[in-house]
Amino acid sequence: MNSRLGKIWLTAGYLFLYVPILTLIIFSFNESKMVTLWGGFSFKWYGVIIHDSEVVNGFFLSMKIALMTATASVVLGMFAAFAMVRYKSFFGRTTFFAHINAPLVVPEVITGLSLLLFFVMCERLIGMPERGIFTIWIGHTTFGLSYAAVVIQSRLLEMDKSLEEAAMDLGCKPFQVFYLVTLPMIAQSLMAAWLLTFTISLDDVVTTAFLSGPGSSTLPLVILSRARLGLDPTVNAIATITVAVVSVGVVAGSLWMSRQERRRAAEQAEAYREGMQAISA
Amino acid sequence: MATPPQLHNGKGTQDMADSVANSTAREDDSLFVRIDRLSKHFDEVAAVDNVSLDIKKGEIFALLGSSGCGKSTLLRMLAGFEMPSSGNIYLDGDDIAKMPPYERPINMMFQSYALFPHLTVWENVAFGLKRDGMPKDQIAERVETTLGIVKLKPYAKRKPHQLSGGQQQRVALARCLAKRPKLLLLDEPLGALDRKLREETQFELVNIIKSVGVTCAMVTHDQEEAMIMADRIAVMQEGRFLQVGPPSEIYETPSCVFVAGFIGDVNLFKGKVIVDEPDHVLIETPECRHFVTHGITGMIDMQVNIALRPEKICLQSHEPTLEQRESPKEQGYNVARGTIDGIAYFGKFTLFHVRLESGMVIKASRENSARHEETQLVRGQQIYVWWDGSDVVVLAN
Amino acid sequence: MSIASSIGNYGIVQFLKRNWGRRSVIGIPYGFLILFFSVPFLVVLKISVSSTDALGIHFQDLTSYANGIFELKIKLSNYIFLTTDPLYIETYLSSIKFAVINTLICLIIGYPFAYFMARSPATMRPALLMMVSLPFWTSYLLRVYAWKGLLDDNGVINNVLIWLHIIHDPIKMMYTGFSMTIGMVYTYIPFMILPVYATLVKMDLRLLEAAKDLGATPWKAFWLVTVPLSKNGIVAGSMLVFIPSVGEYVIPELLGGPSTLMIGRVLWDEFFSNNDWAMASAVAVSMVVLILIPLAIFNKFQSDSGGARGL
Ligand SMILES: Nc1ncnc2c1ncn2[C@@H]1O[C@H](COP(=O)(O)OP(=O)(O)OP(=O)(O)O)[C@@H](O)[C@H]1O
Ligand SMILES: [Mg+2]
């Protein structure tokens, strides 16, 4: 279709996606406390946040929970993906699929509320667990598991099953097959699942709000409480740092991936060419 | 689930294995793989149905059949990826049917090659040796020799995706050979190659296998490939063997209509027996009267098929003379008149479609050598087709 | 067939060992989700129909057995209240309304966007794609917050418009349906663009040429070929936008106002402000029902068309 219209549409679309982020960044360098009026350039708010113990503690808590969540989600998600792909019949398989998909569609207010009420009940019955890092971790892992399972499952589905058979044929016992062949084959998807669940956990507010206890305010909870009250330049500074870190990571990651892909394609083409030459020779 | 095969009264599996091993040792020293009444059912469907087979040491044996006939299932039972529903497999006298694949001295080359993409050629070939706990220096030596056999030494450091299709195929072969298996299994070994490369590779593959001396069972649905590569062929249909034998035997004396049609081109005449003598039979078909110079196990009035290969048919513009005939008794038989309906030139030979007076169209081929040049045949020409009574095969319905 | 099951049994020891592996591969994630997803929901279900004791703190058991009488007490007043109180009904309808509006706007903006992305030069596509998914990796909370700064009475947009003398008094945009919708569209539009793009980029362009060859105008070819072929992407994208928008809490909290009733926010307030656990639970249960209906329609739609997996 019309390529001019296309360019306009794409430009407008990307402006829509990026202008809000850009204004966030610009006003993080604002001298004035008035977030929307320019009062001169300054790094003032960055200084403020690194001495703001609420922010710093929140950041480290969030990182810790995200690390724990991503790791647990990838392990459990890998199990779940294997169960879905490799075991074509077991008791309650349909329900199993429902359990994997449900956390992806049920609103977080519901997962958060139900887990909280569950933990409260547990606490009354057995005196455990206290609300805090552990309960948040469990909460994040319920949906992290599902995301990880979906990512890993799609990789397992496309993997050539004869690779595993070949390994066994060459003398691998079942567990050796897993760590010598299957694991390297799905490693990239494990990494992707890890990063995905890490960011989801790092970003989560709603479930966290339900499950956090006294003294366990993650960074998003700190941001939410400040954002509720109105505009706050420290939030802009936090946003800028986040955007910077993420952009560098994502851009570097995708550049690396596309380089790998290009190199691979070139090598394949080269091998094919050599092969054709060998035939005609 | 595997159900134990029916055993003879009072005899255990081990006894039976021993007795088989002993008896095979007595009968034929080279008898190596013995498949005994092997079946595999998927739910209710029998993919392999009560199949028995012996493979000799050093032999290349091909399982040939159309898609879904159970070739792969049989091969995968040998490799250990599928458990037989019943029956036994003996390798060199040992019952291996219940051994897991990683303990069997058998290696399989997969149709997709299944090369490990994260390992180099060298590591791929060494993979199986490392699992056996072979010392490092021996592994290196073995990998070197094996790569030498398949002429891939210069490529040792490459990853599979940096190789062409033919090279990948040779890595897959080397990976199997390095383990010095007692039995090598090939599942559609050349299926992933394009046509030209395929023809070249067929001979090369046979040469390598023969030079190593490994016993080999392969699966293919390409009859030409089976004929070129195998010492013996089993033609399979719906999980059963229709015929087992050397390529020439299967081609010349197919045991049934399906085998005749599956291996090469064939013309089939349908008719009934009118005279049945020990040394010859007369059969009447709408096309002509047939004089077949070998006896059959049948009776008068039985409905039969006569199979005749296109290259056994002679084409000429006049009736065959007595001198041309194999025996004077055949004069007046094994001949029909027709018109040339189509001519296809294939280089080495030309294929003619001849419409006989009965309406049947038969295929006849003629080698393109200088001898025939004087008798150019053209489309629409009236001609005679005839053949020798010893060149046909009579098949029951 | 799995490897493990196709290999069959080599002996009882291996059989048990393998079964042990298989059991844990299935059982561990299954158990985790049952314990931390299903059971908690049953707790919610129970609390939503439980009566409290005299102090109003402890929930009583649903069943009791005394003197040979088995009693089952279910308190339905929360649900009766939910279905009769106009505020709740209005909130449900309003949640659906905003979710539908959000989905439609995402489709109207996102579809052409995905289309133009898919038709741009192949060398540019990875970069374009990355730029759509980049915001997804940055904090969603911060992206919603960004609109606060833009739409506020003293926000960037009003300031710029006043500075340009286009307006004299700030336009009221914040805490309205407008600000909330814009926040939702902004948050969810990548979820529409990505699946639609995925179907469009796979499309065989020769089909369009064939259509044009048969005399279709470009516009007609677009409607008769491109759009039907991208149906799966549209359905998947719409679901990915619609379902989470219904239960959205953060966006109405930060950008919405008193007039933008959303069910997720009501649940939150029942719980955190009113401390009414039973009511919050009843709202949660009815929300699940509310989500299950469109999901069931979606699944039916998918199985009818045999289409791609949505989630
Ligand atoms: N794992 C399985 N589960 C159920 N049925 C199977 C399985 N494997 C094979 N079959 C069935 O068994 C029959 C034989 O299959 P097999 O793969 O052995 O055929 P094949 O001769 O190798 O065919 P092809 O040339 O297509 O590879 C087929 O009907 C197939 O559908
Ligand atoms: Mg096969």
Side-chain angles (χ1 to χ4, degrees):
Chain A
M1 232 181 271
N2 193 330
S3 74
R4 227 186 42 227
L5 178 65
K7 275 192 191 119
I8 294 171
W9 202 283
L10 285 179
T11 314
Y14 284 114
L15 281 178
F16 175 63
L17 285 177
Y18 283 93
V19 164
I21 298 176
L22 285 178
T23 55
L24 263 189
I25 294 173
I26 292 168
F27 283 98
S28 76
F29 297 107
N30 193 359
E31 169 71 37
S32 153
K33 189 167 169 52
M34 285 295 295
V35 167
T36 52
L37 271 180
W38 189 249
F41 185 89
S42 130
F43 282 113
K44 180 167 142 197
W45 302 112
Y46 293 88
V48 171
I49 55 167
I50 53 173
H51 293 108
D52 185 335
S53 65
E54 207 185 18
V55 171
V56 174
N57 292 342
F59 170 77
F60 283 114
L61 182 67
S62 286
M63 287 302 272
K64 195 162 150 191
I65 293 172
L67 275 171
M68 287 161 59
T69 301
T71 310
S73 300
V74 167
V75 173
L76 291 172
M78 187 174 74
F79 279 29
F82 267 91
M84 290 193 288
V85 176
R86 290 300 159 76
Y87 301 125
K88 292 295 177 224
S89 65
F90 57 84
F91 180 73
R93 188 164 183 268
T94 321
T95 332
F96 185 76
F97 274 75
H99 272 89
I100 296 295
N101 285 319
L104 304 177
V105 291
V106 173
E108 265 193 73
V109 277
I110 297 175
T111 8
L113 174 76
S114 52
L115 257 180
L116 171 61
L117 294 180
F118 171 74
F119 284 134
V120 167
M121 196 193 72
C122 286
E123 218 176 334
R124 279 184 192 166
L125 290 178
I126 56 172
M128 283 198 347
E130 220 169 90
R131 260 175 286 159
I133 190 164
F134 174 78
T135 51
I136 299 175
W137 177 43
I138 296 286
H140 289 189
T141 306
T142 50
F143 47 86
L145 186 174
S146 297
Y147 281 104
V150 171
V151 171
I152 299 166
Q153 177 202 25
S154 64
R155 174 73 188 114
L156 272 181
L157 280 174
E158 72 186 18
M159 185 182 150
D160 182 3
K161 241 182 58 188
S162 56
L163 286 174
E164 287 173 338
E165 287 178 345
M168 202 176 296
D169 188 64
L170 292 166
C172 284
K173 298 194 176 65
F175 190 65
Q176 288 178 318
V177 174
F178 175 74
Y179 74 77
L180 288 174
V181 174
T182 318
L183 208 54
M185 292 293 99
I186 62 170
Q188 230 180 33
S189 74
L190 295 183
M191 193 64 216
W194 196 91
L195 284 174
L196 181 69
T197 46
F198 183 85
T199 39
I200 288 172
S201 164
L202 202 59
D203 204 16
D204 184 78
V205 239
V206 176
T207 307
T208 317
F210 278 100
L211 299 176
S212 70
S216 60
S217 278
T218 63
L219 189 59
L221 285 184
V222 174
I223 296 172
L224 180 67
S225 67
R226 292 186 184 185
R228 265 198 190 123
L229 296 177
L231 297 167
D232 188 326
T234 56
V235 175
N236 289 52
I238 297 168
T240 306
I241 296 173
T242 320
V243 170
V245 171
V246 168
S247 314
V248 169
V250 171
V251 173
S254 31
L255 281 182
W256 182 79
M257 290 241 299
S258 72
R259 262 247 311 269
Q260 287 291 95
E261 245 162 60
R262 269 207 306 274
R263 214 182 66 194
R264 204 185 153 83
E267 283 171 353
Q268 252 161 2
E270 171 68 17
Y272 181 76
R273 205 180 49 76
E274 266 179 39
M276 296 315 283
Q277 271 177 358
I279 294 178
S280 51
Chain B
M1 282 305 294
T3 47
Q6 291 296 310
L7 298 177
H8 305 296
N9 287 343
K11 277 208 157 196
T13 323
Q14 196 50 50
D15 293 324
M16 204 169 112
D18 286 345
S19 70
V20 169
N22 290 340
S23 67
T24 55
R26 250 179 286 116
E27 280 166 19
D28 183 355
D29 266 346
S30 61
L31 195 54
F32 197 59
V33 180
R34 180 176 197 116
I35 295 170
D36 183 32
R37 285 168 295 165
L38 201 62
S39 294
K40 175 72 187 180
H41 299 266
F42 290 111
D43 303 322
E44 292 307 297
V45 188
V48 172
D49 193 4
N50 203 21
V51 154
S52 295
L53 171 72
D54 295 323
I55 300 176
K56 297 191 197 79
K57 193 161 191 153
E59 183 175 47
I60 300 183
F61 190 90
L63 296 166
L64 177 63
S66 45
S67 186
C69 69
K71 314 176 293 277
S72 298
T73 306
L74 181 52
L75 205 71
R76 289 168 59 81
M77 281 194 280
L78 288 173
F81 299 130
E82 305 281 357
M83 276 304 284
S85 305
S86 65
N88 297 77
I89 305 169
Y90 302 99
L91 176 65
D92 208 3
D94 303 321
D95 184 356
I96 58 162
K98 298 211 162 43
M99 244 187 225
Y102 45 87
E103 282 171 14
R104 298 189 184 197
I106 294 178
N107 286 107
M108 173 150 163
M109 195 180 107
F110 290 80
Q111 177 169 1
S112 61
Y113 308 143
L115 298 177
F116 304 125
H118 57 299
L119 303 179
T120 62
V121 168
W122 200 95
E123 289 163 334
N124 262 286
V125 177
F127 188 91
L129 304 175
K130 284 187 191 156
R131 303 288 85 71
D132 293 347
M134 190 186 259
K136 273 213 167 71
D137 47 336
Q138 277 184 42
I139 291 181
E141 201 187 303
R142 180 77 69 84
V143 173
E144 288 294 310
T145 17
T146 320
L147 284 180
I149 293 173
V150 297
K151 305 198 193 73
L152 279 176
K153 264 191 189 164
Y155 299 92
K157 288 210 177 64
R158 293 213 188 169
K159 291 272 181 74
H161 73 268
Q162 294 168 300
L163 299 175
S164 69
Q167 291 166 337
Q168 288 179 10
Q169 189 255 353
R170 279 183 281 152
V171 179
L173 181 65
R175 192 173 67 178
C176 294
L177 293 178
K179 287 206 58 160
R180 304 260 163 91
K182 286 185 172 176
L183 176 63
L184 174 69
L185 304 175
L186 309 172
D187 190 356
E188 304 266 355
L190 307 171
L193 300 181
D194 39 32
R195 182 150 191 88
K196 192 168 157 59
L197 190 56
R198 213 169 150 145
E199 283 167 9
E200 232 171 74
T201 314
Q202 283 163 351
F203 289 102
E204 194 179 289
L205 195 57
V206 172
N207 287 341
I208 293 174
I209 293 169
K210 289 290 178 189
S211 71
V212 176
V214 63
T215 311
C216 174
M218 64 180 274
V219 154
T220 177
H221 62 256
D222 179 347
Q223 47 107 0
E224 213 172 291
E225 189 170 295
M227 307 278 277
I228 291 173
M229 295 180 61
D231 299 316
R232 279 196 307 148
I233 297 175
V235 182
M236 272 186 97
Q237 191 192 20
E238 287 172 8
R240 291 165 172 277
F241 287 165
L242 295 179
Q243 189 173 7
V244 181
S248 57
E249 187 184 308
I250 289 189
Y251 187 80
E252 298 294 343
T253 54
S255 67
C256 65
V257 175
F258 180 84
V259 174
F262 196 76
I263 314 270
D265 263 340
V266 74
N267 298 299
L268 283 177
F269 301 97
K270 288 181 206 309
K272 68 173 195 230
V273 180
I274 47 176
V275 173
D276 184 10
E277 298 284 326
D279 68 328
H280 75 270
V281 218
L282 298 185
I283 296 165
E284 172 102 47
T285 70
E287 287 72 34
C288 70
R289 281 146 60 90
H290 298 258
F291 184 101
V292 181
T293 57
H294 48 77
I296 59 165
T297 49
M299 49 194 164
I300 302 284
D301 279 348
M302 191 172 75
Q303 291 289 329
V304 291
N305 294 288
I306 298 174
L308 178 61
R309 299 285 181 197
E311 71 274 13
K312 310 280 188 191
I313 298 177
C314 299
L315 294 144
Q316 62 195 39
S317 49
H318 56 88
E319 262 189 274
T321 60
L322 207 54
E323 296 83 65
Q324 284 179 303
R325 286 297 193 177
E326 204 175 25
S327 109
K329 286 191 220 157
E330 286 184 33
Q331 190 62 320
Y333 292 96
N334 302 343
V335 60
R337 222 164 59 166
T339 349
I340 297 182
D341 226 17
I343 303 176
Y345 179 74
F346 281 97
K348 281 177 287 200
F349 65 94
T350 305
L351 188 69
F352 297 89
H353 282 212
V354 180
R355 184 176 295 279
L356 302 184
E357 281 166 346
S358 71
M360 176 186 179
V361 177
I362 64 165
K363 291 179 204 163
S365 67
R366 185 150 103 170
E367 250 183 84
N368 289 326
S369 59
R371 269 189 298 141
H372 293 295
E373 264 169 15
E374 70 272 23
T375 57
Q376 270 298 342
L377 296 175
V378 293
R379 211 187 158 90
Q381 188 179 345
Q382 287 271 337
I383 49 148
Y384 287 88
V385 291
W386 64 274
W387 54 90
D388 289 337
S390 58
D391 282 340
V392 299
V393 180
V394 181
L395 301 166
N397 262 332
Chain C
M1 283 303 275
S2 67
I3 298 185
S5 59
S6 68
I7 293 162
N9 50 340
Y10 316 122
I12 194 71
V13 176
Q14 275 101 332
F15 181 77
L16 283 179
K17 263 195 203 156
R18 200 183 44 254
N19 231 22
W20 179 84
R22 177 189 160 109
R23 251 183 240 158
S24 37
V25 163
I26 299 169
I28 292 174
Y30 210 165
F32 186 92
L33 285 174
I34 288 176
L35 183 60
F36 294 120
F37 188 80
S38 297
V39 172
F41 190 73
L42 293 179
V43 172
V44 166
L45 203 59
K46 183 197 158 215
I47 287 178
S48 73
V49 292
S50 298
S51 36
T52 46
D53 61 9
L55 292 168
I57 298 170
H58 288 282
F59 290 99
Q60 291 177 333
D61 287 340
L62 293 183
T63 55
S64 59
Y65 184 80
N67 304 327
I69 300 168
F70 177 82
E71 255 191 319
L72 173 68
K73 266 197 270 181
I74 291 181
K75 187 180 158 210
L76 289 174
S77 64
N78 289 325
Y79 289 98
I80 294 168
F81 190 60
L82 270 185
T83 46
T84 50
D85 187 72
L87 176 77
Y88 285 105
I89 297 173
E90 210 181 303
T91 312
Y92 278 125
L93 292 179
S94 148
S95 306
I96 300 247
K97 184 187 84 185
F98 279 111
V100 168
I101 291 175
N102 178 26
T103 310
L104 286 179
I105 297 179
C106 283
L107 187 62
I108 291 166
I109 301 178
Y111 190 94
F113 192 92
Y115 178 87
F116 292 125
M117 265 172 76
R119 298 289 169 268
S120 56
T123 48
M124 271 173 70
R125 275 184 231 148
L128 292 178
L129 195 61
M130 192 196 71
M131 277 163 63
V132 173
S133 45
L134 187 64
F136 169 81
W137 294 95
T138 61
S139 167
Y140 133 85
L141 188 58
L142 292 171
R143 280 181 291 136
V144 175
Y145 168 81
W147 282 98
K148 244 182 134 104
L150 284 170
L151 299 176
D152 201 67
D153 286 355
N154 306 314
V156 175
I157 292 177
N158 272 323
N159 285 350
V160 168
L161 290 179
I162 291 172
W163 182 69
L164 292 172
H165 296 290
I166 294 171
I167 54 171
H168 296 287
D169 297 310
I171 308 171
K172 171 86 182 156
M173 292 181 285
M174 202 49 199
Y175 309 120
T176 62
F178 172 75
S179 58
M180 193 175 78
T181 306
I182 233 182
M184 296 234 260
V185 171
Y186 182 68
T187 309
Y188 288 109
I189 201 161
F191 294 97
M192 180 65 83
I193 294 175
L194 295 175
V196 172
Y197 170 80
T199 53
L200 284 176
V201 83
K202 272 189 303 200
M203 215 180 91
D204 190 346
L205 287 180
R206 281 170 305 182
L207 288 174
L208 280 184
E209 279 166 22
K212 281 181 199 156
D213 196 50
L214 294 171
T217 61
W219 190 239
K220 252 199 163 143
F222 174 77
W223 278 110
L224 295 177
V225 180
T226 311
V227 172
L229 281 177
S230 52
K231 195 178 78 183
N232 285 332
I234 296 175
V235 172
S238 300
M239 276 308 163
L240 286 174
V241 173
F242 180 82
I243 290 173
S245 342
V246 178
E248 186 53 60
Y249 167 75
V250 172
I251 301 172
E253 173 69 16
L254 291 184
L255 299 178
S259 64
T260 57
L261 294 167
M262 290 292 281
I263 194 74
R265 199 172 170 204
V266 166
L267 187 155
W268 181 292
D269 289 341
E270 286 297 350
F271 187 82
F272 284 105
S273 312
N274 301 348
N275 266 322
D276 190 342
W277 293 15
M279 197 64 212
S281 300
V283 173
V285 172
S286 44
M287 248 174 105
V288 166
V289 174
L290 195 73
I291 302 247
L292 283 183
I293 294 165
L295 205 63
I297 297 171
F298 175 53
N299 276 335
K300 182 166 165 18
F301 187 84
Q302 269 203 322
S303 52
D304 285 353
S305 67
R309 295 158 21 85
L311 292 164

